[in-house]
Amino acid sequence: MSVTAIEEITRQFEIALREAGTVAQLDAMRLKFFGKRSEFKAMFRALGGLEPEERKAKAVVLNAEFDRLEREFAARLAEVGRQESEARWRAEAVDITLPGLAPRRGAWNPVTEVEQRCLAVLRQLGFEFRSGPEAEDPYYNFDALNIPAHHPARDLQDTFWLDTGAVLRSHTTTVQARVLAGKPALPIKVASAGRVYRNEAVDATHLAMFHQLEGFWVDNGLSLADLKGVLAFVVRELYGPKARIRFKPKYYPYTEPSVGLDISCTRCGGDGCDACHRVGWVTLMGAGMIHPNVLREFGYDRPGVRGLAFGWGLTRMTAQWLGLSKIRQLYEVKQRQFQYLDREQM
């Protein structure tokens, strides 16, 4: 064992230490330079064959160099280990401020399912969804919609009034009033949906609470032809291209002229059955051109500006699609009884 041999091993060690960039490479280097079969260990074993004085002098040099290289190796191993850990943490990092990805549990109520399908159809026509409060100011529920104080809809027997003077909204047209009160720029195309309340006797086909969906469009140059085109598109997207429709005159205080839309019964195809009371047709929507008094109330009574509005009961539509004779079943918790219909079956 000579000083030159120790220097050569040290040179090889320093080159290998610079080139080692992973913990795995350093582990292999540990065996090469510090393992039982390394040249360092062979030099330590060779010390036994030397004279005591020479053995002591060379052992001091060999131990000092061995300890120095071990310290350098340990420092490099710690550095590379920290770098690998940080790289792994960055790769596996999860931003805990993002919303979770928990799987959906349960299922939508059938009314919600139908509501989402209807809104998806209206989005194809450019309608955006807006919502409003269920406990509403009477102005938005009545006055702004051409329903004066003497109108029967304001009677205590027809509407739920709260002690605060608010009213449980009796239709989703309140959202139309609120949107127009904000005076947005034309064109205005809005859809709304949600619960509405009527003080009605509860029976197989009526509830004091049910769901409605409504859309309205205010723009320059609209006519009844635009309204009929929109309704025909909506019906055929929901019920299929073969659905037959017909229009009939109706009365609503917030539209003029007003129309009702019937579709051929989806159960009997128009031949007559219990679902359509043997007439072959089912009333689906109420619609019309927005009354001039409503447009005037919000400052849209300008030359050429017209509006159209339409709405339907989601509860009754859902019951029709599912073939239910009692709509109260839709609000019971036993939803396994419902058999959902694919879009192609509607």
Side-chain angles (χ1 to χ4, degrees):
M1 180 187 68
S2 64
V3 175
T4 304
I6 295 176
E7 290 176 348
E8 178 61 24
I9 294 174
T10 300
R11 187 184 67 82
Q12 294 177 9
F13 173 85
E14 290 176 348
I15 293 174
L17 192 65
R18 286 194 302 269
E19 294 178 350
T22 65
V23 173
Q25 292 173 343
L26 288 170
D27 284 340
M29 183 179 169
R30 185 202 305 272
L31 292 176
K32 179 179 179 180
F33 290 96
F34 304 115
K36 292 182 178 180
R37 297 181 181 180
S38 66
E39 294 186 44
F40 265 121
K41 294 297 184 181
M43 290 181 180
F44 278 114
R45 288 192 294 271
L47 290 175
L50 301 178
E51 293 296 329
E53 291 297 327
E54 183 182 5
R55 181 168 63 243
K56 180 178 179 180
K58 290 188 176 181
V60 170
V61 175
L62 188 59
N63 275 316
E65 190 66 12
F66 187 84
D67 290 345
R68 185 181 70 82
L69 297 185
E70 272 196 327
R71 289 194 298 271
E72 290 185 11
F73 180 84
R76 178 62 175 164
L77 180 63
E79 180 185 359
V80 172
R82 178 180 56 79
Q83 292 173 352
E84 287 193 355
S85 296
E86 288 180 354
R88 183 172 65 254
W89 293 336
R90 283 194 295 269
E92 299 174 355
V94 175
D95 187 351
I96 61 175
T97 65
L98 293 175
L101 300 176
R104 176 180 168 186
R105 296 182 179 180
W108 278 341
N109 183 281
V111 177
T112 305
E113 181 77 25
V114 172
E115 176 184 297
Q116 293 303 312
R117 292 184 183 185
C118 293
L119 289 174
V121 171
L122 292 177
R123 279 194 290 270
Q124 296 180 55
L125 296 174
F127 287 82
E128 62 171 320
F129 178 77
R130 299 284 292 274
S131 61
E134 295 178 18
E136 186 58 276
D137 188 303
Y139 171 76
Y140 293 111
N141 200 80
F142 299 121
D143 301 279
L145 298 174
N146 199 38
I147 303 176
H150 62 271
H151 196 282
R154 304 181 75 145
D155 194 282
L156 291 175
Q157 302 303 314
D158 293 323
T159 308
F160 291 106
W161 291 83
L162 305 180
D163 292 339
T164 59
V167 61
L168 294 183
R169 66 180 182 183
S170 55
H171 44 207
T172 50
T173 315
T174 56
V175 176
Q176 177 190 138
R178 283 185 169 272
V179 170
L180 293 180
K183 294 182 171 48
L186 301 179
I188 307 168
K189 300 180 79 171
V190 171
S192 59
R195 288 181 291 242
V196 298
Y197 303 85
R198 307 277 176 86
N199 193 0
E200 297 189 22
V202 176
D203 57 30
T205 58
H206 294 84
L207 289 174
M209 182 279 296
F210 55 99
H211 285 72
Q212 273 190 348
L213 186 146
E214 182 165 329
F216 73 95
W217 178 9
V218 179
D219 203 353
N220 290 294
L222 295 179
S223 67
L224 192 61
D226 296 298
L227 174 63
K228 293 175 68 175
V230 168
L231 298 186
F233 175 84
V234 170
V235 169
R236 285 167 183 148
E237 283 294 305
L238 293 174
Y239 288 89
K242 296 183 179 179
R244 292 186 297 139
I245 63 176
R246 70 180 185 183
F247 295 92
K248 59 187 179 184
K250 294 282 286 185
Y251 167 75
Y252 303 105
Y254 32 80
T255 54
E256 178 61 36
S258 303
V259 297
L261 183 145
D262 295 348
I263 64 168
S264 56
C265 180
T266 57
R267 297 300 171 196
C268 64
D271 296 331
C273 64
D274 291 337
C276 61
H277 304 290
R278 302 293 174 181
V279 297
W281 294 89
V282 176
T283 299
L284 180 66
M285 298 184 189
M289 304 302 294
I290 296 178
H291 200 288
N293 288 347
V294 177
L295 296 177
R296 187 176 303 112
E297 178 71 21
F298 299 109
Y300 287 95
D301 54 334
R302 302 192 292 268
V305 176
R306 301 289 302 279
L308 57 87
F310 52 91
W312 61 90
L314 289 169
T315 302
R316 197 160 289 177
M317 175 185 282
T318 305
Q320 180 193 22
W321 272 344
L322 298 178
L324 300 178
S325 59
K326 298 180 180 180
I327 62 175
R328 74 178 65 179
Q329 292 176 283
L330 292 169
Y331 298 100
E332 294 175 348
V333 295
K334 298 178 181 179
Q335 295 187 29
R336 293 177 182 173
Q337 63 186 302
F338 301 130
Q339 193 165 14
Y340 289 88
L341 299 177
D342 294 331
R343 185 176 293 276
E344 290 76 11
Q345 297 177 281
M346 293 179 183

Short mmCIF file of all heavy atoms in Angstrom, two decimals, residues 134-164:
data_model
loop_
_atom_site.label_atom_id
_atom_site.label_comp_id
_atom_site.label_asym_id
_atom_site.label_seq_id
_atom_site.Cartn_x
_atom_site.Cartn_y
_atom_site.Cartn_z
N GLU A 134 -87.80 32.32 -3.80
CA GLU A 134 -89.13 31.72 -3.73
C GLU A 134 -90.06 32.56 -2.87
O GLU A 134 -91.27 32.60 -3.13
CB GLU A 134 -89.02 30.29 -3.19
CG GLU A 134 -88.27 29.36 -4.13
CD GLU A 134 -88.14 27.96 -3.56
OE1 GLU A 134 -88.91 27.61 -2.64
OE2 GLU A 134 -87.27 27.22 -4.04
N ALA A 135 -89.55 33.21 -1.84
CA ALA A 135 -90.33 34.19 -1.06
C ALA A 135 -90.13 35.54 -1.74
O ALA A 135 -89.08 36.16 -1.62
CB ALA A 135 -89.87 34.22 0.38
N GLU A 136 -91.14 35.98 -2.46
CA GLU A 136 -90.97 37.08 -3.42
C GLU A 136 -91.73 38.33 -2.98
O GLU A 136 -92.74 38.26 -2.27
CB GLU A 136 -91.46 36.61 -4.80
CG GLU A 136 -91.24 37.56 -5.93
CD GLU A 136 -89.79 37.94 -6.12
OE1 GLU A 136 -89.33 38.87 -5.41
OE2 GLU A 136 -89.11 37.31 -6.95
N ASP A 137 -91.22 39.46 -3.45
CA ASP A 137 -91.92 40.74 -3.26
C ASP A 137 -93.17 40.73 -4.15
O ASP A 137 -93.09 40.37 -5.33
CB ASP A 137 -90.99 41.88 -3.67
CG ASP A 137 -91.56 43.24 -3.33
OD1 ASP A 137 -92.68 43.54 -3.79
OD2 ASP A 137 -90.88 44.02 -2.63
N PRO A 138 -94.32 41.12 -3.63
CA PRO A 138 -95.55 41.12 -4.45
C PRO A 138 -95.40 41.93 -5.74
O PRO A 138 -96.08 41.64 -6.73
CB PRO A 138 -96.60 41.73 -3.52
CG PRO A 138 -96.09 41.46 -2.15
CD PRO A 138 -94.60 41.53 -2.25
N TYR A 139 -94.54 42.92 -5.75
CA TYR A 139 -94.35 43.72 -6.96
C TYR A 139 -93.89 42.85 -8.11
O TYR A 139 -94.43 42.95 -9.23
CB TYR A 139 -93.34 44.84 -6.70
CG TYR A 139 -92.92 45.56 -7.97
CD1 TYR A 139 -93.76 46.50 -8.56
CD2 TYR A 139 -91.70 45.30 -8.57
CE1 TYR A 139 -93.40 47.15 -9.73
CE2 TYR A 139 -91.31 45.95 -9.74
CZ TYR A 139 -92.17 46.87 -10.31
OH TYR A 139 -91.80 47.52 -11.48
N TYR A 140 -92.91 41.98 -7.89
CA TYR A 140 -92.38 41.14 -8.96
C TYR A 140 -93.34 40.00 -9.30
O TYR A 140 -93.34 39.51 -10.43
CB TYR A 140 -91.02 40.57 -8.57
CG TYR A 140 -89.94 41.63 -8.46
CD1 TYR A 140 -89.41 41.97 -7.22
CD2 TYR A 140 -89.47 42.28 -9.58
CE1 TYR A 140 -88.43 42.94 -7.11
CE2 TYR A 140 -88.49 43.27 -9.48
CZ TYR A 140 -87.97 43.59 -8.24
OH TYR A 140 -87.01 44.56 -8.14
N ASN A 141 -94.12 39.56 -8.31
CA ASN A 141 -95.04 38.46 -8.55
C ASN A 141 -96.33 38.91 -9.22
O ASN A 141 -96.95 38.16 -9.98
CB ASN A 141 -95.36 37.75 -7.24
CG ASN A 141 -95.89 36.34 -7.45
OD1 ASN A 141 -95.14 35.41 -7.68
ND2 ASN A 141 -97.21 36.18 -7.36
N PHE A 142 -96.75 40.16 -8.96
CA PHE A 142 -98.04 40.63 -9.46
C PHE A 142 -97.95 41.95 -10.22
O PHE A 142 -98.18 41.99 -11.44
CB PHE A 142 -99.04 40.78 -8.30
CG PHE A 142 -99.32 39.52 -7.56
CD1 PHE A 142 -99.07 39.41 -6.20
CD2 PHE A 142 -99.86 38.42 -8.22
CE1 PHE A 142 -99.35 38.24 -5.52
CE2 PHE A 142 -100.15 37.24 -7.55
CZ PHE A 142 -99.88 37.16 -6.19
N ASP A 143 -97.65 43.03 -9.54
CA ASP A 143 -97.77 44.37 -10.11
C ASP A 143 -96.97 44.55 -11.39
O ASP A 143 -97.46 45.11 -12.38
CB ASP A 143 -97.33 45.42 -9.08
CG ASP A 143 -98.17 45.36 -7.82
OD1 ASP A 143 -99.29 45.90 -7.80
OD2 ASP A 143 -97.71 44.73 -6.85
N ALA A 144 -95.72 44.09 -11.38
CA ALA A 144 -94.86 44.28 -12.55
C ALA A 144 -95.30 43.43 -13.73
O ALA A 144 -94.89 43.68 -14.88
CB ALA A 144 -93.40 43.95 -12.20
N LEU A 145 -96.16 42.44 -13.48
CA LEU A 145 -96.57 41.51 -14.52
C LEU A 145 -98.02 41.73 -14.94
O LEU A 145 -98.70 40.79 -15.37
CB LEU A 145 -96.37 40.06 -14.04
CG LEU A 145 -94.91 39.70 -13.73
CD1 LEU A 145 -94.83 38.31 -13.12
CD2 LEU A 145 -94.05 39.79 -14.98
N ASN A 146 -98.50 42.96 -14.80
CA ASN A 146 -99.84 43.31 -15.25
C ASN A 146 -100.93 42.55 -14.51
O ASN A 146 -101.98 42.23 -15.07
CB ASN A 146 -99.96 43.07 -16.77
CG ASN A 146 -101.12 43.83 -17.38
OD1 ASN A 146 -101.42 44.97 -17.01
ND2 ASN A 146 -101.80 43.20 -18.34
N ILE A 147 -100.70 42.26 -13.24
CA ILE A 147 -101.71 41.61 -12.40
C ILE A 147 -102.11 42.62 -11.33
O ILE A 147 -101.43 42.77 -10.31
CB ILE A 147 -101.16 40.32 -11.76
CG1 ILE A 147 -100.66 39.36 -12.84
CG2 ILE A 147 -102.22 39.64 -10.90
CD1 ILE A 147 -100.03 38.09 -12.31
N PRO A 148 -103.18 43.36 -11.52
CA PRO A 148 -103.54 44.46 -10.61
C PRO A 148 -104.08 43.94 -9.27
O PRO A 148 -104.30 42.74 -9.09
CB PRO A 148 -104.63 45.21 -11.39
CG PRO A 148 -105.20 44.18 -12.31
CD PRO A 148 -104.09 43.26 -12.68
N ALA A 149 -104.34 44.87 -8.38
CA ALA A 149 -104.73 44.51 -7.01
C ALA A 149 -106.04 43.73 -6.96
O ALA A 149 -106.25 42.92 -6.06
CB ALA A 149 -104.84 45.77 -6.16
N HIS A 150 -106.95 43.97 -7.91
CA HIS A 150 -108.25 43.29 -7.86
C HIS A 150 -108.23 41.92 -8.56
O HIS A 150 -109.26 41.27 -8.65
CB HIS A 150 -109.31 44.17 -8.54
CG HIS A 150 -109.02 44.44 -9.99
ND1 HIS A 150 -108.25 45.52 -10.39
CD2 HIS A 150 -109.38 43.77 -11.12
CE1 HIS A 150 -108.17 45.51 -11.72
NE2 HIS A 150 -108.84 44.46 -12.17
N HIS A 151 -107.08 41.49 -9.05
CA HIS A 151 -107.00 40.22 -9.79
C HIS A 151 -107.20 39.05 -8.83
O HIS A 151 -106.70 39.05 -7.71
CB HIS A 151 -105.65 40.11 -10.49
CG HIS A 151 -105.62 39.06 -11.55
ND1 HIS A 151 -105.50 37.71 -11.27
CD2 HIS A 151 -105.70 39.15 -12.91
CE1 HIS A 151 -105.49 37.03 -12.39
NE2 HIS A 151 -105.62 37.88 -13.41
N PRO A 152 -107.95 38.00 -9.26
CA PRO A 152 -108.20 36.84 -8.37
C PRO A 152 -106.94 36.14 -7.90
O PRO A 152 -106.93 35.52 -6.83
CB PRO A 152 -109.05 35.91 -9.25
CG PRO A 152 -109.66 36.79 -10.28
CD PRO A 152 -108.67 37.89 -10.54
N ALA A 153 -105.84 36.21 -8.67
CA ALA A 153 -104.61 35.53 -8.28
C ALA A 153 -104.05 36.06 -6.96
O ALA A 153 -103.26 35.38 -6.30
CB ALA A 153 -103.56 35.66 -9.38
N ARG A 154 -104.48 37.27 -6.58
CA ARG A 154 -103.95 37.87 -5.35
C ARG A 154 -104.81 37.53 -4.14
O ARG A 154 -104.54 37.99 -3.03
CB ARG A 154 -103.85 39.38 -5.52
CG ARG A 154 -102.99 39.76 -6.72
CD ARG A 154 -102.85 41.24 -6.90
NE ARG A 154 -101.94 41.81 -5.92
CZ ARG A 154 -101.11 42.83 -6.15
NH1 ARG A 154 -101.07 43.37 -7.36
NH2 ARG A 154 -100.34 43.30 -5.22
N ASP A 155 -105.84 36.74 -4.34
CA ASP A 155 -106.73 36.36 -3.25
C ASP A 155 -106.01 35.42 -2.28
O ASP A 155 -105.20 34.59 -2.69
CB ASP A 155 -107.98 35.68 -3.81
CG ASP A 155 -109.07 35.57 -2.76
OD1 ASP A 155 -108.96 34.67 -1.91
OD2 ASP A 155 -110.01 36.37 -2.81
N LEU A 156 -106.33 35.52 -1.01
CA LEU A 156 -105.71 34.66 0.00
C LEU A 156 -106.00 33.19 -0.26
O LEU A 156 -105.25 32.31 0.16
CB LEU A 156 -106.19 35.06 1.40
CG LEU A 156 -105.71 36.42 1.93
CD1 LEU A 156 -106.37 36.70 3.28
CD2 LEU A 156 -104.20 36.42 2.08
N GLN A 157 -107.11 32.91 -0.93
CA GLN A 157 -107.47 31.52 -1.19
C GLN A 157 -106.64 30.92 -2.33
O GLN A 157 -106.67 29.71 -2.55
CB GLN A 157 -108.96 31.43 -1.55
CG GLN A 157 -109.88 31.98 -0.48
CD GLN A 157 -109.69 31.29 0.86
OE1 GLN A 157 -109.61 30.07 0.93
NE2 GLN A 157 -109.61 32.07 1.93
N ASP A 158 -105.94 31.76 -3.10
CA ASP A 158 -105.17 31.26 -4.24
C ASP A 158 -103.66 31.33 -4.02
O ASP A 158 -102.90 30.68 -4.74
CB ASP A 158 -105.52 32.08 -5.50
CG ASP A 158 -106.95 31.86 -5.94
OD1 ASP A 158 -107.41 30.71 -5.81
OD2 ASP A 158 -107.59 32.81 -6.39
N THR A 159 -103.21 32.13 -3.07
CA THR A 159 -101.79 32.41 -2.95
C THR A 159 -101.38 32.37 -1.48
O THR A 159 -102.16 32.72 -0.60
CB THR A 159 -101.48 33.82 -3.51
OG1 THR A 159 -102.01 33.91 -4.83
CG2 THR A 159 -99.99 34.08 -3.56
N PHE A 160 -100.17 31.93 -1.23
CA PHE A 160 -99.63 31.89 0.12
C PHE A 160 -98.94 33.22 0.44
O PHE A 160 -97.95 33.58 -0.19
CB PHE A 160 -98.61 30.76 0.27
CG PHE A 160 -99.23 29.39 0.21
CD1 PHE A 160 -99.08 28.59 -0.91
CD2 PHE A 160 -99.97 28.89 1.28
CE1 PHE A 160 -99.64 27.33 -0.97
CE2 PHE A 160 -100.53 27.63 1.24
CZ PHE A 160 -100.37 26.84 0.10
N TRP A 161 -99.47 33.94 1.43
CA TRP A 161 -98.87 35.20 1.87
C TRP A 161 -98.16 34.99 3.19
O TRP A 161 -98.63 34.25 4.05
CB TRP A 161 -99.94 36.27 2.02
CG TRP A 161 -100.54 36.72 0.72
CD1 TRP A 161 -101.54 36.11 0.02
CD2 TRP A 161 -100.14 37.84 -0.05
NE1 TRP A 161 -101.80 36.78 -1.14
CE2 TRP A 161 -100.96 37.86 -1.21
CE3 TRP A 161 -99.20 38.84 0.12
CZ2 TRP A 161 -100.84 38.83 -2.19
CZ3 TRP A 161 -99.08 39.82 -0.85
CH2 TRP A 161 -99.90 39.82 -2.00
N LEU A 162 -97.01 35.65 3.37
CA LEU A 162 -96.25 35.54 4.60
C LEU A 162 -96.53 36.74 5.50
O LEU A 162 -96.99 37.79 5.03
CB LEU A 162 -94.75 35.46 4.29
CG LEU A 162 -94.34 34.36 3.31
CD1 LEU A 162 -92.83 34.39 3.09
CD2 LEU A 162 -94.77 32.99 3.81
N ASP A 163 -96.24 36.58 6.78
CA ASP A 163 -96.49 37.66 7.73
C ASP A 163 -95.67 38.91 7.40
O ASP A 163 -96.04 40.03 7.79
CB ASP A 163 -96.15 37.21 9.16
CG ASP A 163 -97.11 36.13 9.65
OD1 ASP A 163 -98.22 36.05 9.09
OD2 ASP A 163 -96.75 35.38 10.58
N THR A 164 -94.56 38.74 6.71
CA THR A 164 -93.71 39.89 6.36
C THR A 164 -94.27 40.71 5.20
O THR A 164 -93.72 41.75 4.85
CB THR A 164 -92.31 39.39 5.97
OG1 THR A 164 -92.42 38.49 4.85
CG2 THR A 164 -91.66 38.66 7.14
#
